[in-house]
Every structure is written in structure tokens, then in C-alpha cells.
Amino acid sequence: MHIAPFDNQNKPIVDVDDGLVPLNYFNIVKLKKGEAFEYQVPGYETCIVPATGSVDVEIEGVSFAALGNRGEDVWDGEPEGVYVPSGAKARIVCVSDETETFIAGAKYDKVLEPFDVREPDLVQYGSDDTKTHRKIKHILGQKQADKVGRLLVSELFTVGQGGWSGFPSHKHDTNRLPDETRHDETYNFRFKPNWGSGLQMLQREEGKAGDAYHIVDGSTICIDKGYHPCAVLPGYEMYYFTILGGLTQRSLVQFFQPTHAYQVETIPGIKDMVAKFK
């Protein structure tokens, strides 16, 4: 499902127990210097990630200062995040001129401990030298495996201008280990320049025609099931903030579409990507 950009007024874009992706939670919070935002999501662990600007974060008396180091867009600096335990009360205060902050969440009942993820803690892979056409920066990834319940949070950047991402086509909508896990997924897209756009494909079943969505700067995509590669127009760069919430485990097991699965062996970097999405 495609949710076109709109002024959400700091209210969840994907709320708890969503009808399509109930394992996910997503909010975008926009603040000016000195403004504050408080939230609490029972039954969901969350992660605060400034898309732009810098914020101070307080979680049940634990403070994390000056989170985020970006300027005017997501290409201007590296991501940082703070993990918020399930149901904990969090307070965000803007300490830059303004901020646009993502709040990503996954359904999880157990209460863990808050922590921050700074630039040195990131796991990054993919490069300009591969044909995977994306760099992935894990904010909550394999390095935080013993600190998080079911939530995976990352940022994906297309390599160069134009091209495809999320290929070979894959899905993760059915719990049938060791071949596949159920992970609901939510994306938020950005383009550089911001008048660029792209395409999100969603093929529900092998051998049958699927759907396609025209994505623009600020588009949100919710994926409950099916194979889902995406593309950006020539001459533009694409970024997407990615939220994955697992039903029974955190580690993602992707099932590659049988038609295209052989390309796992031919495209450099794909096996490394699969191994590191934990």
C-alpha cells in the first residue's frame, strides 16, 4: 500500500495494530528549536532516528544528548538512533534550528534497556563498485542483536543515479523456517533532487501480475506480503528508511522469487547483504 506524503502533524503514519502491517509502527515528528514531543507506545519497541537536525532524548530518566548530525537532508551526514524499550515514555527536544525525526517500531512485549547508536556503531555494506545498487546502513542491526527484540531499522541508498534496488525480488511474509520468516515492512522514501521519483513493485504471487506504485519524496510504502523490488528514475538518487518487524524472531530470512533466484549467484554483494540482515 502506498501512503502519499501528507502533513501528519506528528501523529503516527502507521499506528499500532495496523490492518496491513500490524507488526510495524511509524511516525514522523517535525519540531523547531526548543520544541518537544513526548510519546509512549505500549506493546511496541521503537527507535528514534533524526532524518535531519539534532535532538536530545530522554527515556524514563535516561538521557542521550545531541542525537543526529545531519543538515538539510538524509545525504548530509550519517544516521544515529536511540532504542526505546516497549511501552517506555520518551521525550524528544529539538536542539538544532529544526528537525524531522523518524520513529520506527515493532510489536514486542518484553521490556529491555534503552541505548544509543552513534556513527561508529553503524554496520554499512554495499559500495559504488558493486551492482547491488544500494548501500545499506544498519542502525539497529546485527551489532545490537542481543539488545533488541524484533525490530530491524536501516537506511538504504541507491548507488549512483537511476537503477533498481531490492533485486533479486524477494519476500518475507510467511513463517516457515529455515526458508523464510514473517517480517512486516514499512519504507519512507526520499529523492535527490527532491523532485525525483521512482517505482515500487509488489507482486503478490509468482507468475501473476502485481501492482506498481508511483513513489515521490516522502512516500510511505507498507508491505505485508509479496515480492517487492523498487526503482528510481535516471538522473536521481533514492533513499529509503526501512522498518522491519518480525513475528517470531528478529533475524530476517528472505525467500527469493524462484524466477529470479539464480541471480543471487551472479550479482556481486547479494550474499553479503543476506548474511548481514540480522
Side-chain angles (χ1 to χ4, degrees):
M1 181 180 70
H2 176 227
I3 303 172
F6 70 103
D7 182 4
N8 65 309
Q9 299 181 338
N10 295 347
K11 297 176 182 178
I13 295 171
V14 178
D15 210 342
V16 300
D17 296 320
D18 180 80
L20 192 69
V21 285
L23 304 179
N24 289 170
Y25 174 90
F26 178 51
N27 195 1
I28 298 177
V29 175
K30 295 180 180 179
L31 302 171
K32 296 188 181 300
K33 191 167 188 175
E35 292 181 340
F37 177 80
E38 293 185 355
Y39 78 93
Q40 193 170 13
V41 191
Y44 286 74
E45 57 186 348
T46 59
C47 183
I48 297 168
V49 180
T52 60
S54 183
V55 298
D56 287 346
V57 178
E58 183 177 336
I59 304 163
E60 304 285 357
V62 181
S63 298
F64 303 94
L67 180 75
N69 53 31
R70 287 170 168 162
E72 62 182 16
D73 63 35
V74 294
W75 283 270
D76 186 15
E78 299 293 343
E80 295 188 329
V82 164
Y83 174 80
V84 181
S86 179
K89 183 179 290 186
R91 177 180 170 86
I92 304 167
V93 179
C94 178
V95 294
S96 54
D97 288 340
E98 57 185 10
T99 181
E100 181 180 17
T101 296
F102 297 140
I103 301 175
K107 184 173 283 192
Y108 188 65
D109 287 330
K110 186 177 178 180
V111 178
L112 305 176
E113 296 296 324
F115 63 89
D116 58 348
V117 179
R118 303 291 180 164
E119 186 175 339
D121 304 314
L122 297 174
V123 173
Q124 177 177 327
Y125 53 96
S127 74
D128 295 342
D129 299 323
T130 72
K131 296 180 181 178
T132 57
H133 284 290
R134 58 181 175 179
K135 292 179 182 177
I136 302 176
K137 299 181 181 182
H138 278 300
I139 301 159
L140 293 183
Q142 61 183 357
K143 286 183 73 172
Q144 294 81 30
D146 60 344
K147 298 180 178 181
V148 183
R150 303 277 167 77
L151 178 61
L152 289 160
V153 179
S154 58
E155 296 187 333
L156 290 84
F157 295 79
T158 56
V159 173
Q161 298 181 334
W164 286 85
S165 183
F167 188 83
S169 305
H170 60 274
K171 71 182 186 76
H172 37 76
D173 55 36
T174 307
N175 255 5
R176 50 188 192 96
L177 290 168
D179 298 319
E180 184 180 0
T181 56
R182 157 79 184 278
H183 277 73
D184 290 351
E185 188 162 32
T186 298
Y187 298 144
N188 186 264
F189 288 89
R190 302 298 162 98
F191 293 89
K192 184 179 180 181
N194 64 5
W195 55 86
S197 65
L199 173 74
Q200 174 71 64
M201 287 177 55
L202 185 55
Q203 186 179 6
R204 298 290 185 173
E205 296 180 47
E206 171 82 343
K208 295 185 179 180
D211 301 313
Y213 303 97
H214 179 213
I215 49 177
V216 297
D217 196 72
S219 284
T220 298
I221 290 283
C222 298
I223 297 172
D224 59 335
K225 63 180 181 178
Y227 305 101
H228 48 275
C230 55
V232 55
L233 293 174
Y236 300 93
E237 296 180 55
M238 183 171 74
Y239 156 102
Y240 47 117
F241 182 73
T242 303
I243 305 165
L244 281 160
L247 178 64
T248 61
Q249 69 176 51
R250 184 164 183 265
S251 294
L252 175 69
V253 181
Q254 304 169 76
F255 177 76
F256 287 95
Q257 189 170 9
T259 303
H260 307 297
Y262 73 95
Q263 295 204 48
V264 172
E265 303 295 334
T266 65
I267 300 176
I270 293 296
K271 286 187 173 180
D272 186 48
M273 177 203 74
V274 172
K276 289 182 177 176
F277 240 115
K278 305 294 185 184

